[in-house]
Amino acid sequence: MGQQWDAQGYDAQFSFVTAYGDVLLGLLDAQPGERVLDIGCGTGHQAAVIAAAGAEVVGVDSDAAMLELARSEHPAVRFVHADAQDAAALHAAVGASPVDAVLSNAALHWMPEQDAVVAGIAAVLRPGGRLVVEMGGAGNVARNAEAIRAGRAAVGLDADVPLPWTFPTPGEQASRLERHGFVVRTLALIDRPTPLADGVTTSGWARMFGASLVADVPDSERDTFDAAVDAHAVQLGLDRRPDGAGGWWADYVRLRFTAALA
Ligand code: BEZ
């Protein structure tokens, strides 16, 4: 993952990522004694819940700041620095014996090498072992991305930059899983308009989740950029939640799937 994270800000202002991920814990249904790998564990909340269920869990993440916070908040859980696109690193993280289950919440879309990730998971999972994932799917954050492009154009930067995320379609993901030996149990693309915390607008979302798209905005242009992002976001309706409750939101589309290794 190329993104550098503000781990404290992530927990303080974007705790919805963790909260929404709790649904995956129900799908995983970790049992005492099982071995579980949490890919892209972030600040470690889901790994800690799995450990509390009596499973032996290892959380891996490629961001040092996230891992530091995870270790300080959940000292009893094992967290390892690893890029899940690197099969050898995943293998080293879990050790010699395969795991019973792999969980990942809101992480896989940061990894351009999607086939390498699924191959690496298949290599560390036991036959019959389960995979439970939620990630961004096709169409995810399309409006947020459009607003960021408008902000870049407003300060004279290239608006047509590649986005740092990969959002597969359900068909692409099902084929990928099957190519790597998985049987898909459930797979759904789910619209999830997601409220932002009070005081957070689309430009704030962009700073946290699109850092690479904001990094080359000069400090002297930051206010202009933020204003243009938010003005465009208003045109796209991102300041008015679709459920009528009011407030800013992001147009998340989740790809949620469960699969078992054949
Ligand atoms: C997501 O969880 O879908 C996501 C988060 C940040 C940037 C892009 C997508």
Side-chain angles (χ1 to χ4, degrees):
M1 293 190 228
Q3 160 104 357
Q4 299 284 304
W5 288 96
D6 163 11
Q8 305 276 356
Y10 179 85
D11 265 2
Q13 289 192 302
F14 297 95
S15 58
F16 67 78
V17 180
T18 299
Y20 279 115
D22 282 353
V23 70
L24 301 183
L25 295 170
L27 295 174
L28 179 73
D29 191 23
Q31 300 298 310
E34 281 193 320
R35 300 188 69 232
V36 179
L37 170 65
D38 179 1
I39 292 183
C41 62
T43 54
H45 166 79
Q46 262 111 26
V49 174
I50 294 166
E56 181 194 326
V57 60
V58 56
V60 298
D61 205 290
S62 63
D63 187 83
M66 289 288 197
L67 287 172
E68 191 182 332
L69 196 53
R71 288 184 183 119
S72 75
E73 290 190 353
H74 310 291
V77 178
R78 188 163 157 257
F79 294 104
V80 176
H81 188 263
D83 179 347
Q85 298 167 110
D86 177 349
L90 268 194
H91 191 264
V94 303
S97 37
V99 296
D100 299 293
V102 174
L103 174 94
S104 183
N105 176 41
L108 262 50
H109 48 250
W110 291 102
M111 305 175 195
E113 302 299 331
Q114 292 281 309
D115 271 284
V117 174
V118 176
I121 293 171
V124 297
L125 197 53
R126 70 163 168 79
R130 49 207 203 282
L131 173 62
V132 177
V133 173
E134 187 170 298
M135 65 187 291
N140 194 35
V141 297
R143 285 185 242 201
N144 291 55
E146 187 183 324
I148 294 172
R149 291 191 194 282
R152 292 183 60 83
V155 296
L157 293 173
D158 181 7
D160 200 21
V161 283
L163 301 175
W165 316 299
T166 302
F167 300 135
T169 66
E172 286 166 351
Q173 196 62 28
S175 302
R176 180 173 294 115
L177 289 163
E178 287 173 0
R179 266 199 311 281
H180 292 286
F182 285 92
V183 176
V184 177
R185 301 277 191 225
T186 63
L187 190 150
L189 192 66
I190 304 162
D191 280 330
R192 196 197 67 202
T194 298
L196 300 182
D198 284 350
V200 179
T201 61
T202 305
S203 59
W205 183 93
R207 262 195 300 283
M208 174 59 67
F209 292 112
S212 67
L213 301 170
V214 174
D216 56 348
V217 177
D219 285 346
S220 58
E221 299 278 24
R222 196 48 76 93
D223 290 348
T224 307
F225 172 82
D226 284 354
V229 169
D230 287 338
H232 198 83
V234 168
Q235 283 176 32
L236 297 173
L238 286 175
D239 63 332
R240 305 178 291 284
R241 278 171 48 186
D243 63 2
W248 289 73
W249 59 289
D251 61 336
Y252 280 66
V253 179
R254 316 317 292 159
L255 185 60
R256 184 184 297 162
F257 51 91
T258 61
L261 191 63

